[in-house]
Amino acid sequence: MIAIDPGPAQSAWVQYDGSQVLAAGIESNDDVLRRIYCEWGADEVLVIEMMPVGREVFETCVWIGRFMEAAGGAELVYRKDVKLHLCGSPRAKDANIRQALIDRFGPGKDKAIGTKAKPGPLYGFKADMWAALAVAVTYYDTRQQS
């Protein structure tokens, strides 16, 4: 499965198989769109995070539509559902979600993230890659296994 945290110019993505991160990155939206058309195709489940509204949100919505079109459709995962699933609260913040992911892939930062000499499964994760992973885990846990 591919999970995307879309943005107005660039988006974070995570390829996740239900137990481990296979690949991840933050790239321009044009590059993510190219990946959908050329690499991932219609065989991959695509899940995209939806969020609340402003100018950047509308630009992001355009990219969500383009990603969905390129993939032949996609599942949408809402931020409130991610917060509830991973943290048990709709008031969870990004730091709480990040910690829940570290606990899941660790336990603990040393095992989940690791170091350059001994990288963990989340080594190198930054910025919106955490949100894309949160979308992937939420989708997998709540919908994929149904």
Side-chain angles (χ1 to χ4, degrees):
M1 145 197 9
I2 305 297
I4 298 176
D5 178 37
Q10 62 181 18
S11 296
W13 59 269
V14 170
Q15 189 173 22
Y16 181 67
D17 73 359
S19 63
Q20 65 180 339
V21 174
L22 303 174
I26 298 175
E27 298 176 321
S28 73
N29 286 338
D30 287 326
D31 287 341
V32 174
L33 193 60
R34 181 193 52 76
R35 282 183 181 276
I36 293 169
Y37 277 119
C38 300
E39 292 178 34
W40 300 325
D43 294 336
E44 285 279 359
V45 172
L46 180 69
V47 295
I48 302 169
E49 182 181 48
M50 291 292 287
M51 67 293 220
V53 186
R55 192 194 90 173
E56 281 189 359
V57 172
F58 287 114
E59 291 172 7
T60 301
C61 288
V62 169
W63 282 106
I64 291 170
R66 292 187 73 190
F67 294 154
M68 290 176 74
E69 178 183 23
E75 298 286 333
L76 299 176
V77 175
Y78 291 86
R79 186 75 173 161
K80 68 175 181 59
D81 296 329
V82 170
K83 291 177 177 185
L84 283 171
H85 177 68
L86 294 177
C87 303
S89 170
R91 295 183 178 168
K93 304 293 182 203
D94 288 347
N96 304 115
I97 292 170
R98 183 178 184 272
Q99 187 60 54
L101 292 169
I102 289 170
D103 292 345
R104 180 182 182 123
F105 286 89
K109 192 174 177 180
D110 291 341
K111 188 173 179 187
I113 297 173
T115 63
K116 187 174 183 177
K118 190 175 178 186
L122 306 181
Y123 182 78
F125 264 62
K126 60 185 177 191
D128 293 331
M129 291 167 66
W130 290 101
L133 177 58
V135 169
V137 168
T138 299
Y139 177 83
Y140 185 83
D141 290 352
T142 62
R143 300 186 199 171
Q144 185 69 21
Q145 293 183 355
S146 315

